[in-house]
Amino acid sequence: MNERLFGIHGAALTLRSERMGVIASNIANAATPGYKARDLDFNAALDARLERARGGTGAARGAAMVWRSPTMPSMDGNTVELSREQVAFAENAVAYSATLSFVQGKVNTVTRALKGE
């Protein structure tokens, strides 16, 4: 029902939310020695989710999780670059908001149809 009703946007909203959590975890661990920054490859994860929805096997969600390679690694082995994470967080937040707008529009359309408007 989710795929038929919301199309790609339902899966995209879920993945954007998961990515937000990963980036937030990176930011929270910016001062943790030895912490390795991760990211969710949104396109790979979305492709895998859509392939599974179509009945294919699709790659596991873990396959879309990637390690970030730092431009300037810190001396303590931490690979989080705070400015890079903040930009990724902001970009993802904007994309999440846009996707949410599509989903809300679809819900509003269905609600109006059910009310007979």
Side-chain angles (χ1 to χ4, degrees), residues 14-83:
T14 302
L15 291 172
R16 293 266 181 223
S17 178
E18 289 177 19
R19 184 167 186 244
M20 191 80 66
V22 171
I23 296 170
S25 178
N26 289 344
I27 292 170
N29 287 291
T32 304
Y35 183 82
K36 305 297 181 204
R38 301 176 306 146
D39 197 2
L40 180 71
D41 183 347
F42 177 79
N43 291 330
L46 185 60
D47 288 344
R49 173 115 5 136
L50 294 176
E51 184 179 331
R52 279 194 310 266
R54 289 186 209 112
T57 57
R61 187 181 86 213
M65 194 65 69
V66 295
W67 298 103
R68 290 234 178 132
S69 51
T71 306
M72 303 232 1
S74 66
M75 298 295 280
D76 64 1
N78 186 309
T79 62
V80 176
E81 294 174 323
L82 195 54
S83 60

Side-chain angles (χ1 to χ4, degrees), residues 2 14 21 50 52-53 55 61-62 64 70 85 100-101 105 108 110:
N2 181 23
T14 302
L50 294 176
R52 279 194 310 266
R61 187 181 86 213
E85 299 299 329
L100 186 59
S101 293
N108 290 341
V110 171

